[in-house]
Amino acid sequence: MLSGFGDDPFAAEPLTGSGGVPDGAKPPASNAPSKRKREPGARGVKQAEAGKTCFVKSCEDDKLVGKKWCCRHNRLYDNLWTQAKKSNETAAVQQAVSTPEGADHALSDFERDNPPHAKYARKSVIQWGQFKRVHVVSQTTRSRNGCKPYEWKQWLKRCEQKMGWAAADAKKLWNHYSTAQEIDKDHEGLNGAIRLWIPTIEATHNDTDRSRTFAFEEGGAQERDMDEDHRQVLMDHCLHSGKGTNQADNNFLQGRAVNGPETDNSEVPELQTPKKNKELNDPASKDNPSPEDEKKRKRLEKLARGPAFEAHKATMVHKLKEKMKGLDNLMATVGEKIREAHAEMANDRQDAVKLSYLKAMEAGTALLEVWKTEVELPACEGKPEELKDLPDVVARAQTAFCDKCELLKDLVQPVNSKATCFTRAALGWFHSISEKTTCIFLLERIATEMKDHAAVIDQFARGLQKVATDAKNFQSQQKRKAQQDEAKKKREEEKKAASEATALAKAAAKKVKSGSKGRRPMWPWSANAIRSRERPFDLSRGACARKEQLHTWARIQLQTDRS
Ligand SMILES: [Zn+2]
């Protein structure tokens, strides 16, 4: 089983593991590597890094050292990458897994068709799909025998009133059933009264069933001589698929469009109300921690003090810093894109659409500026309250940003107004709390929530960028249309000139014709017949005398044809 990889590495240390190692037992440390070796499809030994979770949003497992993912997701990602490389779609994969939510979606979709095993690194289990419509009429002779649960009074009533038996017989039967081995019993009756499952259902049916089935069947190539390991992988995949972790499958089972929205239209969580599964407070404040939370808490506690804590903190703070740098760069790029698109359009304020784009881009630039506002951060103590009670300067920057968003929302609204988009100033504040804090849980909470904050900020930036892209597209579309119109006009002019030339030539021909003898020739032979030299003229009807005139006529006809 793959879960062997996710084991807490600290559990291997004899004294720190909960309960310690029983006497005489083999120390787990020497056990683990050989166990790993036997894992089917395992590629090298990878170690989990305690206290840092997998990048996938819904995954609470520890990530592997030097990787973004936990063991299971790492393997899925590797396989996804291999397949994407084969079809030159790595860019799409990169884009898809760039956010925790995106990665969740992409990997869960991929996992549906690709068990996390080396065998499926290169090919998907599902290789074809076929729509089928089946009409079935089936004739069935069905006999049904079954039991129904009875409480004593209910049984008595049935025997006396429905069956017309004596109460004594009913009692006798009840006693017989209550001691019989084959009769199921439970205590689901009124106030926990005993119920006996007595065989009272007897029925025979002659049914004709008609059904119409629409099915979409999917499958892979038939595999012969499947070995036991491989068979196990597919069996496990069935079990895993059956759990319905895939959104598309869940939607289908509930009769919704497969690519429909998720069940809960939950907004992006705010700082004050983090999502339940991501909440990682001080352990004392939690009433009923789930086993996973409990496990994670224990893991974090091991990192809570001394050098382990300092090292962990340094990594977290560094990551936060990197994240902020990334966002700064993103904002700079977006600002540049808006400036470019704006400059391209700026001289054309007459067109209503363009004017609207220009205004939206100006609003976007204003929002970007307010978002970036730098403030002088006050001293910070690294306390949990400081996460909520933002210092005045930060709170003011945040309010100014929200006000601006509200003010400009008719022009541009990159993020939903219900989502909290933190400004650069707020991020700076969270960073200083991380630097100062001595509490592992606070550190963890900031790191976890930062994923959500970054996602909203990212959305904000992409939303603004889209305005610039749309404006650019509109601009080039218009250019293309102008070019097409120009080309069309040119074509039409050429056509007109050509038809005028034809008309002119025809008129000239007519003139020549009418000028010759004042009437049409007697034998309107086709010009072709005359042009072909092999064919002798049919002169049998006395055309000799008019030979010369005929030739003239034919020449004119030829000219007209050519033009
Ligand atoms: Zn994971």
Side-chain angles (χ1 to χ4, degrees):
M1 285 282 92
L2 294 169
S3 60
F5 284 98
D7 281 351
D8 190 346
F10 288 90
E13 291 168 20
L15 288 173
T16 49
S18 53
V21 180
D23 288 335
K26 225 177 170 186
S30 63
N31 221 352
S34 64
K35 190 184 164 206
R36 284 198 179 108
K37 235 180 224 167
R38 272 187 275 112
E39 287 293 334
R43 281 169 286 179
V45 177
K46 298 187 191 87
Q47 226 188 339
E49 198 170 346
K52 292 177 186 171
T53 49
C54 174
F55 185 68
V56 170
K57 181 152 188 177
S58 67
C59 181
E60 296 285 340
D61 290 343
D62 282 343
K63 75 181 198 64
L64 297 173
V65 174
K67 302 269 179 193
K68 260 166 116 175
W69 322 97
C70 67
C71 179
R72 183 168 71 96
H73 283 122
N74 188 49
R75 179 159 304 154
L76 277 170
Y77 178 75
D78 276 356
N79 292 357
L80 173 61
W81 189 257
T82 313
Q83 290 193 15
K85 220 156 63 183
K86 252 170 76 179
S87 50
N88 278 330
E89 282 172 10
T90 48
V93 170
Q94 247 165 356
Q95 170 75 24
V97 302
S98 59
T99 62
E101 296 82 11
D104 211 345
H105 250 269
L107 290 178
S108 130
D109 277 352
F110 182 77
E111 188 175 27
R112 196 164 163 246
D113 295 350
N114 303 271
H117 186 274
K119 171 136 188 146
Y120 293 98
R122 273 159 211 294
K123 60 170 187 178
S124 159
V125 172
I126 305 295
Q127 285 157 14
W128 52 264
Q130 185 183 16
F131 185 80
K132 284 189 173 177
R133 180 171 51 209
V134 187
H135 291 88
V136 181
V137 179
S138 65
Q139 297 207 321
T140 316
T141 307
R142 189 177 286 140
S143 53
R144 239 183 236 166
N145 297 302
C147 300
K148 270 176 76 176
Y150 289 94
E151 292 179 36
W152 157 241
K153 282 274 170 62
Q154 186 189 4
W155 174 249
L156 184 65
K157 209 169 162 186
R158 178 184 189 271
C159 290
E160 288 185 331
Q161 293 176 5
K162 198 167 169 188
M163 308 303 291
W165 298 343
D169 290 331
K171 180 75 188 162
K172 220 158 95 189
L173 272 172
W174 179 264
N175 287 340
H176 164 71
Y177 283 135
S178 56
T179 52
Q181 285 289 316
E182 70 276 11
I183 297 296
D184 284 335
K185 300 161 188 89
D186 66 34
H187 288 272
E188 303 286 309
L190 183 67
N191 297 326
I194 190 169
R195 293 192 313 176
L196 304 183
W197 287 75
I198 301 174
T200 51
I201 299 171
E202 293 169 295
T204 56
H205 305 255
N206 286 312
D207 298 336
T208 302
D209 296 335
R210 292 168 189 282
S211 68
R212 189 174 55 157
T213 310
F214 299 94
F216 180 64
E217 214 176 61
E218 290 179 303
Q222 221 177 46
E223 303 189 38
R224 290 165 199 282
D225 303 327
M226 191 177 276
D227 62 40
E228 193 51 39
D229 277 0
H230 181 195
R231 196 171 154 272
Q232 193 59 45
V233 168
L234 291 181
M235 293 291 268
D236 287 346
H237 190 60
C238 292
L239 277 176
H240 183 83
S241 303
K243 280 191 220 149
T245 47
N246 186 279
Q247 188 61 37
D249 286 347
N250 287 347
N251 282 348
F252 180 77
L253 284 181
Q254 287 167 32
R256 285 193 301 263
V258 166
N259 287 323
E262 313 225 346
T263 14
D264 54 335
N265 287 325
S266 58
E267 297 297 340
V268 182
E270 299 187 17
L271 181 67
Q272 286 77 4
T273 53
K275 265 196 186 157
K276 207 174 166 213
N277 61 348
K278 290 277 175 191
E279 192 166 27
L280 236 158
N281 260 325
D282 199 36
S285 69
K286 266 211 148 182
D287 299 334
N288 292 313
S290 71
E292 293 90 51
D293 286 347
E294 191 60 19
K295 204 171 151 202
K296 188 161 185 184
R297 190 183 61 83
K298 276 187 185 155
R299 228 170 268 175
L300 285 176
E301 269 178 357
K302 285 170 194 151
L303 291 169
R305 273 165 290 279
F309 174 73
E310 288 307 326
H312 185 64
K313 183 162 107 171
T315 322
M316 296 304 237
V317 170
H318 176 72
K319 262 197 191 163
L320 198 53
K321 190 111 203 158
E322 288 294 304
K323 185 86 225 172
M324 283 158 63
K325 219 190 271 174
L327 288 173
D328 284 346
N329 289 341
L330 178 63
M331 294 299 174
T333 319
V334 172
E336 191 48 46
K337 284 202 170 142
I338 295 182
R339 253 190 302 285
E340 266 174 36
H342 189 274
E344 234 176 76
M345 251 185 201
N347 52 8
D348 200 356
R349 293 190 92 94
Q350 314 303 325
D351 186 312
V353 183
K354 285 188 181 175
L355 185 62
S356 159
Y357 270 125
L358 285 170
K359 279 185 177 167
M361 285 191 279
E362 281 149 22
T365 312
L367 282 184
L368 268 183
E369 286 311 315
V370 182
W371 185 87
K372 283 195 283 194
T373 312
E374 286 187 35
V375 298
E376 189 81 33
L377 289 173
C380 149
E381 293 172 62
K383 284 186 187 157
E385 309 86 80
E386 287 173 326
L387 261 189
K388 274 189 196 172
D389 305 332
L390 301 175
D392 277 350
V393 273
V394 178
R396 244 180 286 135
Q398 196 62 36
T399 316
F401 177 70
C402 291
D403 289 350
K404 197 83 178 169
C405 284
E406 185 62 27
L407 190 71
L408 298 175
K409 73 173 180 202
D410 292 334
L411 289 172
V412 62
Q413 193 178 24
V415 281
N416 188 315
S417 56
K418 281 180 196 158
T420 306
C421 180
F422 281 102
T423 57
R424 185 64 175 70
L427 296 187
W429 178 244
F430 299 149
H431 178 255
S432 13
I433 300 177
S434 306
E435 267 182 328
K436 277 280 149 60
T437 191
T438 53
C439 170
I440 183 89
F441 295 101
L442 183 59
L443 200 60
E444 198 60 23
R445 182 174 159 189
I446 294 175
T448 313
E449 288 179 359
M450 194 50 73
K451 279 190 191 176
D452 293 333
H453 301 337
V456 181
I457 297 170
D458 202 70
Q459 199 189 350
F460 167 72
R462 309 267 170 217
L464 292 183
Q465 184 171 311
K466 188 168 183 301
V467 179
T469 321
D470 286 352
K472 267 200 154 167
N473 287 345
F474 179 76
Q475 185 88 339
S476 52
Q477 222 172 46
Q478 277 212 327
K479 258 188 211 157
R480 229 181 3 256
K481 192 160 179 300
Q483 279 169 358
Q484 279 169 353
D485 286 352
E486 186 70 22
K488 199 176 162 196
K489 211 169 140 195
K490 212 172 155 194
R491 269 203 308 279
E492 268 166 10
E493 270 168 11
E494 279 170 6
K495 218 168 149 189
K496 206 174 149 201
S499 65
E500 271 170 10
T502 316
L504 223 65
K506 272 188 181 157
K510 213 173 172 186
K511 212 169 166 189
V512 174
K513 253 187 275 172
S514 56
S516 59
K517 280 288 180 199
R519 60 184 182 109
R520 285 176 67 81
M522 277 172 73
W523 303 281
W525 291 338
S526 83
N528 276 336
I530 296 165
R531 225 183 294 162
S532 127
R533 283 192 190 160
E534 295 83 20
R535 213 178 298 167
F537 290 139
D538 178 10
L539 303 173
S540 57
R541 286 195 275 170
C544 285
R546 310 187 74 94
K547 194 174 173 185
E548 200 172 325
Q549 191 204 336
L550 270 169
H551 276 256
T552 319
W553 178 76
R555 213 164 38 241
I556 293 162
Q557 192 72 14
L558 272 170
Q559 269 174 1
T560 321
D561 281 353
R562 267 185 214 133
S563 70

